[in-house]
Amino acid sequence: MKALLVEDDENDAALLRGLFKRQAGIDIELDHVTSLEAAVNRLAIDVPEIVLLDLNLPDSSGLNSAQAIQNANPDVPIVVLSGHDDEDFAIEILNHGVQDYLVKWEGNARTILRAIRYAIERKRSEQHLNYLAHFDRLTGLANRQHFHDQIEKAIARAKRAKRRLALFFIDLDNFKIVNDTLGHDAGDKVLVSAGKKLEQCTRAGDMIARLGGDEFAVLVEDVGELRDAEAIGYNLLHALSDLTEVDGRPISVTASVGIAIFPTDNCNVGALLKNADIAMYQAKENGRNGLRFFTEEMHSELLNYHRTENDIRKAIDLQQFHLEFQPKIDLESHELCGLEALLRWNHPVRGRIAPMDFIPIAESSGHIVPLGYWIIEQACKHLQAWQQLGIAVPQISVNVSAPQFQQPDFHRKVRAILEQTGATPELLEFELTEGLLMEDTDSAQGCLQRLKSIGLRLAIDDFGTGHSCLSYLRRFPIDVLKIDKSFVSDIGKSSDGEAICAAIISMAQNLNLETVAEGIETQEQLAFLHGHGCNIGQGFLFSKPVRADQLQDLFPGAIHSDSIKSIGDTTRIRLLEGVCK
Ligand code: C2E
Ligand code: MG
Ligand code: MG
């Protein structure tokens, strides 16, 4: 038997060793250390069957010594060796999970050995009781009480890290029939197999529990998107629906899964479990073998995601998309100096869907990549068509999202589109958001450089809303900063907003960048921006985004007219007249 003796008194150690040696038939391998630190280090490498512990050590004393050993290895039994006989203290220390208390020099090798054996036995039964209190005997999974504690801890972690948890409540659909027709043994086997399937289809950190009967639960920490939780839910359903072989006969069980999300669906353990349970019942009512989120909003959000994703896929071929163009006005010359192409979707059933309601879905589903090439191509074709009509369009800008920009062959495809359509690269501008550039600055710099070498102009859109690092602005080959419309709308309302606009403009001037202010709606905003040296304006004050055919009427006047001398109302009326023709 291997024992670790933690004893700083060499004489006491020698005494004990002597005792064991003299007694025939005792086979104890004594490993001796003289400090708590050495003991803890030893436990990290090697686990003895027993620790014989003197509480008063050079680097620790009393209960602390015992607790440090327990922390180092909660599974090892401890017998305390004390220099004096103090019954009260003995009881206290036994209450703290130490298995026995012996007074040194009392007793012989035999009694000490018996104490060691009892201590080991006592530890074993404590562990067994502990196991029974925390785990389900049939499946070996956490029981309800233990799961409850685990959720509580996970919630605390999630709060600190500001993360989302997903709780899956799982109920087997036809378990009762199996139990009633094939008997309890078969039922047990189905439950054990369900537990195993859940273990196999989850990741190492996920917590699985059997809550009772045919109810199981899984807790997953750090779920990013709702869709991730959904995917996990379907994995669970899929895994459970695999056939189970019981006594040579295949049995099919399906399950219903309810999902609750922390913190959306509640922040306390009991309510979270209850909400997941309610969601599970809804899944059952929906026809079983399915899953359901607790909140209606979440469920419809997800349905909407899938429906929209599906519809986007078809919408290009069905020609449901078109571009609209919003004029940009040179604030000095008051002339039209460019257009921003904005995507529009006319859905045959749902009507016009706003970009904010479908672009993010196109981005996360990847559909933005083909759609993005289509947008660039359309913009180039329009450029060409106008030029052939003799209309000199000064410049056209297109919004580019991260997944497009991150395609390794993006620049090549863009070049190919320019060649095919014959559009002049210098007239095409890409608007990129700060976040996109800051994600991976090195590769972003490479991408920007390649686009720049084609001849494109590059703008940072919604500037000021992300976390830009100014030193990168210098490194990136950028031509334009677009001041986000949230700052523009603050002009006249908040001095902070005004200060930000003024700071962006002056910074851009220092870096030799052009500034475009987007979302100009009032004369006051216009005057402020122009007064601070902003170069270009865009917004409802001048014109809303309009269809290409409405724009054509507007070009000659807007570009060549001497009549637009004053910006503001006149320009807008002029532009709107064009639009309304
Ligand atoms: P963005 O690039 O910042 O576009 C400007 C948005 O502001 C447009 O909204 C435009 O209609 C709106 N806007 C223009 N002037 C005013 C104004 O005076 N007041 C107010 N309140 N709003 C104004 P829209 O068309 O709904 O587009 C929203 C966003 O969707 C765009 O923001 C852009 O991020 C994205 N988006 C639009 N079209 C495309 C596209 O073709 N490709 C990509 N990747 N994203 C696009
Ligand atoms: Mg834009
Ligand atoms: Mg913008």
Side-chain angles (χ1 to χ4, degrees):
M1 180 195 299
K2 265 204 252 173
L4 176 65
L5 173 63
V6 190
E7 168 67 85
D8 60 329
D9 188 319
E10 291 293 351
N11 291 333
D12 288 350
L15 204 72
L16 194 67
R17 205 176 285 125
L19 263 181
F20 286 153
K21 216 172 246 164
R22 277 195 301 282
Q23 180 75 40
I26 295 187
D27 182 21
I28 289 196
E29 194 187 312
L30 212 54
D31 182 12
H32 178 208
V33 293
T34 56
S35 70
L36 181 69
E37 192 191 345
V40 168
N41 288 341
R42 197 58 60 93
L43 286 172
I45 312 166
D46 195 18
V47 185
E49 275 153 279
I50 188 87
V51 171
L52 303 171
L53 176 68
D54 176 7
L55 292 179
N56 293 319
L57 296 164
D59 52 348
S60 166
S61 67
L63 260 180
N64 287 341
S65 308
Q67 271 160 358
I69 298 289
Q70 283 165 339
N71 290 340
N73 188 327
D75 295 328
V76 68
I78 303 172
V79 172
V80 161
L81 304 174
S82 170
H84 47 268
D85 191 357
D86 177 344
E87 201 159 325
D88 288 342
F89 183 65
I91 288 173
E92 187 188 346
I93 198 151
L94 292 178
N95 282 335
H96 276 83
V98 161
Q99 278 67 43
D100 209 344
Y101 180 92
L102 295 179
V103 181
K104 293 181 196 172
W105 313 291
E106 262 183 13
N108 53 32
R110 240 174 230 298
T111 50
I112 296 177
L113 194 66
R114 192 181 318 130
I116 291 176
R117 289 220 176 100
Y118 284 177
I120 293 173
E121 214 31 65
R122 213 168 285 142
K123 183 78 190 180
R124 249 182 230 148
S125 56
E126 273 171 28
Q127 278 168 334
H128 189 61
L129 285 177
N130 188 43
Y131 179 84
L132 292 183
H134 292 101
F135 294 91
D136 169 51
R137 246 198 290 179
L138 181 63
T139 60
L141 298 173
N143 64 15
R144 185 180 280 270
Q145 181 54 46
H146 187 42
F147 191 56
H148 216 271
D149 297 344
Q150 285 181 313
I151 303 177
E152 208 146 68
K153 287 186 191 137
I155 284 181
R157 282 193 292 271
K159 270 187 187 152
R160 270 197 305 274
K162 298 205 166 41
R163 285 186 180 150
R164 292 214 266 195
L165 301 178
L167 178 62
F168 302 83
F169 200 108
I170 304 154
D171 190 286
L172 303 185
D173 287 331
N174 30 12
F175 179 71
K176 203 172 147 11
I177 302 173
V178 173
N179 227 11
D180 292 350
T181 54
L182 301 179
H184 286 276
D185 283 350
D188 282 358
K189 283 179 186 156
V190 167
L191 292 173
V192 171
S193 133
K196 290 220 176 81
K197 286 174 185 169
L198 290 176
E199 274 176 332
Q200 278 158 9
C201 76
T202 45
R203 290 178 307 180
D206 301 341
M207 291 163 230
I208 310 167
R210 178 175 172 222
L211 301 178
D214 60 348
E215 287 176 352
F216 295 85
V218 173
L219 180 73
V220 178
E221 294 191 61
D222 193 15
V223 280
E225 300 289 327
L226 228 46
R227 288 189 306 288
D228 300 334
E230 187 199 26
I232 295 167
Y234 277 117
N235 272 347
L236 299 175
L237 281 177
H238 195 77
L240 287 170
S241 69
D242 268 356
L243 286 182
T244 300
E245 193 136 318
V246 174
D247 303 332
R249 129 179 34 196
I251 295 180
S252 141
V253 266
T254 58
S256 299
V257 174
I259 310 173
I261 302 281
F262 163 91
T264 325
D265 292 336
N266 215 307
C267 296
N268 84 58
V269 185
L272 213 53
L273 266 169
K274 202 182 96 218
N275 292 346
D277 191 3
I278 292 172
M280 185 278 292
Y281 267 99
Q282 288 172 349
K284 277 224 191 283
E285 275 171 14
N286 273 354
R288 304 171 168 223
N289 196 15
L291 61 80
R292 186 84 212 180
F293 280 87
F294 172 62
T295 355
E296 200 54 49
E297 286 97 311
M298 282 201 186
H299 206 73
S300 49
E301 187 187 322
L302 212 66
L303 286 182
N304 178 56
Y305 177 90
H306 292 301
R307 193 171 51 150
T308 308
E309 204 226 286
N310 228 343
D311 287 355
I312 294 173
R313 203 195 311 263
K314 295 178 257 171
I316 301 184
D317 289 340
L318 296 174
Q319 298 189 321
Q320 292 169 1
F321 289 119
H322 71 273
L323 294 183
E324 286 192 353
F325 300 91
Q326 189 176 33
K328 296 186 200 171
I329 305 297
D330 183 316
L331 298 186
E332 260 326 296
S333 69
H334 314 155
E335 288 188 342
L336 180 82
C337 64
L339 299 169
E340 175 171 6
L342 293 158
L343 187 61
R344 295 293 176 255
W345 184 7
N346 274 321
H347 191 284
V349 181
R350 296 159 70 188
R352 200 170 158 128
I353 306 177
M356 275 350 238
D357 293 335
F358 74 86
I359 298 259
I361 297 175
E363 287 175 347
S364 61
S365 62
H367 294 318
I368 194 70
V369 175
L371 182 55
Y373 289 129
W374 182 85
I375 295 168
I376 296 167
E377 189 187 325
Q378 289 300 306
C380 289
K381 281 184 176 164
H382 279 294
L383 258 183
Q384 267 316 79
W386 286 320
Q387 260 170 350
Q388 271 161 13
L389 286 172
I391 303 164
V393 177
Q395 174 270 325
I396 198 161
S397 64
V398 171
N399 294 284
V400 171
S401 313
Q404 302 175 256
F405 184 71
Q406 283 152 359
Q407 295 295 304
D409 57 349
F410 184 58
H411 65 287
R412 255 175 263 131
K413 290 238 170 90
V414 170
R415 195 196 289 269
I417 292 173
L418 285 164
E419 279 163 10
Q420 270 163 28
T421 55
T424 317
E426 284 71 21
L427 299 189
L428 184 63
E429 178 177 288
F430 280 171
E431 295 188 7
L432 309 150
T433 56
E434 287 165 279
L436 186 165
L437 301 177
M438 294 302 148
E439 241 169 57
D440 178 356
T441 49
D442 284 336
S443 79
Q445 194 179 5
C447 295
L448 291 176
Q449 229 98 46
R450 285 190 286 277
L451 293 173
K452 199 68 222 163
S453 69
I454 301 177
L456 301 187
R457 278 162 56 89
L458 301 172
I460 299 191
D461 203 357
D462 305 339
F463 188 77
T465 54
H467 308 276
S468 15
C469 177
L470 294 184
S471 63
Y472 285 118
L473 275 187
R474 239 180 261 277
R475 262 174 55 187
F476 291 152
I478 292 289
D479 306 284
V480 181
L481 292 189
K482 288 192 83 172
I483 307 171
D484 189 64
K485 54 180 173 297
S486 63
F487 303 122
V488 173
S489 77
D490 271 352
I491 293 173
K493 287 191 228 150
S494 110
S495 53
D496 280 356
E498 292 180 2
I500 292 172
C501 288
I504 294 176
I505 295 166
S506 101
M507 191 186 69
Q509 283 167 345
N510 285 335
L511 292 170
N512 261 328
L513 303 177
E514 230 171 47
T515 40
V516 178
E518 60 179 19
I520 303 181
E521 292 179 355
T522 67
Q523 286 293 342
E524 190 184 6
Q525 294 163 353
L526 175 61
F528 180 93
L529 290 159
H530 184 223
H532 281 80
C534 178
N535 309 104
I536 294 168
Q538 178 184 348
F540 296 165
L541 180 66
F542 308 114
S543 170
K544 295 201 162 172
V546 293
R547 288 204 320 269
D549 56 342
Q550 297 171 305
L551 260 179
Q552 287 174 10
D553 304 332
L554 199 137
F555 281 138
I559 299 168
H560 306 296
S561 165
D562 297 326
S563 61
I564 308 175
K565 281 284 181 254
S566 71
I567 40 180
D569 267 353
T570 332
T571 314
R572 187 178 53 133
I573 289 163
R574 177 83 218 166
L575 286 169
L576 290 179
E577 267 171 11
V579 170
C580 296
K581 258 186 221 163

